[in-house]
Amino acid sequence: MWPPPASSPGETVRSGPHVYDPAGPAGSLHVRAAQVLEDNWTGASTVPSRRLYPHQWSWDSAFIAIGLRHISPLRAQTELETLLDAQWADGRIPHIVFNPSVPLDAYFPSPDFWRSSTAGRAAGAPRTVQTSGIVQPPVHALAAWLVHRSDPGLSRARGFLARVHPRLAAWHRYLLHRRDLGGGGLASVVHPWEQGMDNSPAWDAPLSRVTPAPARSFRRADLDHGAPEDRPTDLDYGRYVRLAADYRDGGYRDGAAARYRDGTEGRSSAGGGAFAVEDPAFNALLIASEHALARIARELGATGTARHARAERLTAALVDRLWDPAEGLFLCRDVCDGSLIPERSVSGLIPLLAPTLPRDIVAALVRTLRGPHFGLSGATRLVPSYDLLGEAFDPHRYWRGPAWFNTGWLVERGLRAHGDGASADGLREALLTTADATDFAEYVDPYTGEACGALGFSWTAALTLDLLHERPGHGVSPAGIGTFDRSEK
């Protein structure tokens, strides 16, 4: 059990059975969710899962901090500070920060694969900590703002926002400048792991260009802890390894020249441009975090006008480049050939987070969410990660169909921000009921709610805490007032 951190002004830390619990009983959902986060705490950060994911993951830590703020704002701040301490000089926040006490064979790819301190030297990788060289979705400024709002007195006393603001600004500059590989104003991902939905069918076509690494060149530690039939295939994993190795061997440089299928020259990355995709969820989270960063700047005495304007430009680019009115959904764009990828995934619904998304697009997204492809409040309890009618749909195979709690939370936030409180309340109740019944599973069958993956999963527990601290029918939670609200600038 983690030791409670030293108290600071305004802090009300409790641990173990004394953790804050409005419902009271020792076995309540509040206490059990808090216990998961205690069990997965390492002293400075929280692992997603002790056995399957024994290091610190970037977007996991952002979601974890959003939940931790309700039981220990200090620990939530520490979670984000630990992650930002591993930021590279070029601004990127790596998707994994490795714990040196964990054996190398406990997770693959391990630090000796990424070689961050040597291969990443030109990009400014830190010397004192080992990390991966790729990134994950930019939830961090949003998380930092919500953590600040949970205890402004503590945050100001510790100078939390003043310390994280320049790092978050550098992170956004990296994405907006180094990763605008398509030249249309959106950030691109150069590896499926960067988008977070690792083996989504949306990646199948771009990945088909990648020659897989030989199976003998790596050993998959994930199969030691998860059912092979639920995990990415060996072929897909070989392609992931090849992409990551090529990016590493290129010094983690972004924006190298690549020749597209039509023979023209363009900007891409990852050792010749085999994979570069503009993803709607990744960019929607960047929009939400730009709005949050504007509020952070204003809290620090600066104007947030430029940040809000940038978020509006990103929203316009998102609609222009990724919206498909015929599908009623945002789609991914393959930067290497310029085409939209005709696969429906939950990523295409997450732009509901954008507070100034046109109302006709919001209405179309809600119809798609409730329709036969996602079936919310009809065929499914939770939002599936992929099209229920798609050829590649599998209710148990990782991101090819199962429902995940972080994407459900994001859709719930978006529905609530755009005034659809009834749908948001229904999804909130389903998320809480399922988390309770599955012991905070990593992901679940969207039809039955059957637990899949790891149990006691940190972001499931953290986002359960966040939903428990929100009163149904009362808009965005008090600590998040204004974050997704179109009326506040």
Side-chain angles (χ1 to χ4, degrees):
M1 184 175 293
W2 62 277
S7 61
S8 296
E11 176 68 318
T12 54
V13 178
R14 297 177 177 86
S15 65
H18 304 296
V19 74
Y20 171 62
D21 174 29
S28 73
L29 191 56
H30 270 89
V31 169
R32 289 167 47 226
Q35 189 63 55
V36 168
L37 297 182
E38 290 197 7
D39 291 344
N40 289 341
W41 175 249
T42 67
S45 64
T46 310
V47 298
S49 163
R50 282 285 181 184
R51 296 178 64 219
L52 188 55
Y53 305 106
H55 302 286
Q56 183 179 24
W57 261 258
S58 173
W59 76 325
D60 291 73
S61 277
F63 288 121
I64 288 163
I66 288 170
L68 274 175
R69 68 192 170 117
H70 298 295
I71 56 174
S72 174
L74 178 57
R75 231 177 90 195
Q77 291 177 28
T78 301
E79 185 80 37
L80 295 174
E81 290 164 348
T82 300
L83 179 67
L84 291 171
D85 282 345
Q87 186 173 25
W88 292 27
D90 67 0
R92 82 182 74 194
I93 297 174
H95 98 295
I96 301 175
V97 180
F98 290 105
N99 182 343
S101 68
V102 173
L104 287 178
D105 62 0
Y107 184 82
F108 180 85
S110 52
D112 57 342
F113 173 89
W114 295 103
R115 305 171 203 159
S116 61
S117 59
T118 54
R121 184 176 299 142
R127 300 284 183 89
T128 58
V129 63
Q130 294 296 310
T131 76
S132 65
I134 60 175
V135 303
Q136 276 190 325
V139 197
H140 312 89
L142 173 60
W145 175 246
L146 293 176
V147 167
H148 164 77
R149 291 284 293 146
S150 68
D151 192 336
L154 173 68
S155 176
R156 291 168 187 145
R158 296 187 68 245
F160 171 66
L161 291 184
R163 285 182 289 110
V164 302
H165 176 265
R167 297 190 175 197
L168 294 169
W171 167 224
H172 285 208
R173 280 195 302 274
Y174 169 78
L175 294 174
L176 291 164
H177 297 290
R178 302 287 186 93
R179 286 301 191 88
D180 182 10
L181 304 177
L186 297 180
S188 294
V189 297
V190 300
H191 195 290
W193 291 338
E194 292 199 315
Q195 194 270 354
M197 304 177 193
D198 299 5
N199 70 327
S200 167
W203 316 137
D204 290 354
L207 278 176
S208 68
R209 295 190 291 265
V210 179
T211 302
R216 65 182 179 278
S217 67
F218 60 90
R219 177 187 175 278
R220 295 181 59 180
D222 63 316
L223 298 183
D224 294 340
H225 307 294
E229 63 272 18
D230 292 352
R231 306 291 296 179
T233 65
D234 286 342
L235 176 61
D236 285 337
Y237 218 87
R239 287 171 168 150
Y240 303 153
V241 171
R242 171 72 71 185
L243 275 177
D246 286 351
Y247 193 37
R248 175 200 66 203
D249 295 345
Y252 296 111
R253 290 190 300 271
D254 296 306
R259 185 163 296 279
Y260 296 165
R261 288 180 179 177
D262 63 3
T264 61
E265 289 256 321
R267 287 181 297 156
S268 192
S269 62
F275 187 99
V277 174
E278 293 172 351
D279 173 74
F282 193 99
N283 283 280
L285 287 164
L286 182 56
I287 290 166
S289 280
E290 275 289 302
H291 282 300
L293 201 54
R295 293 186 170 90
I296 290 172
R298 193 168 62 191
E299 169 70 20
L300 295 172
T303 176
T305 304
R307 290 282 175 195
H308 283 305
R310 187 175 292 114
E312 293 307 306
R313 291 195 296 273
L314 279 165
T315 302
L318 185 72
V319 171
D320 179 60
R321 292 182 65 79
L322 305 186
W323 175 245
D324 188 326
E327 297 291 346
L329 193 68
F330 287 89
L331 301 177
C332 295
R333 182 177 293 276
D334 186 342
V335 173
C336 294
D337 67 11
S339 66
L340 289 176
I341 299 170
E343 298 287 359
R344 302 177 184 90
S345 82
V346 68
S347 175
L349 298 168
I350 290 174
L352 282 166
L353 287 175
T356 58
L357 200 64
R359 293 187 184 279
D360 62 325
I361 291 180
V362 172
L365 286 171
V366 173
R367 287 195 297 272
T368 300
L369 176 63
R370 294 172 174 165
H373 296 289
F374 293 93
L376 189 65
S377 302
T380 62
R381 290 180 50 78
L382 300 180
V383 186
S385 52
Y386 178 65
D387 182 1
L388 298 171
L389 305 181
E391 290 185 9
F393 175 79
D394 184 328
H396 286 184
R397 189 179 286 277
Y398 222 41
W399 287 96
R400 303 178 84 85
W404 292 71
F405 289 85
N406 66 327
T407 53
W409 181 87
L410 291 168
V411 171
E412 193 268 357
R413 297 287 79 192
L415 289 168
R416 199 172 297 284
H418 287 286
D420 192 347
S423 295
D425 288 347
L427 180 52
R428 171 189 180 273
E429 182 60 30
L431 286 163
L432 291 175
T433 301
T434 306
D436 190 10
T438 62
D439 196 18
F440 309 101
E442 182 180 0
Y443 53 100
V444 299
D445 183 309
Y447 289 119
T448 66
E450 176 188 349
C452 301
L455 302 183
F457 200 70
S458 288
W459 78 27
T460 304
L463 297 175
T464 294
L465 285 170
D466 191 60
L467 293 171
L468 285 169
H469 282 257
E470 166 205 307
R471 290 184 299 160
H474 287 76
V476 176
S477 61
I481 288 173
T483 307
F484 306 107
D485 185 354
R486 67 166 59 231
S487 65
E488 183 179 331
K489 291 294 183 191

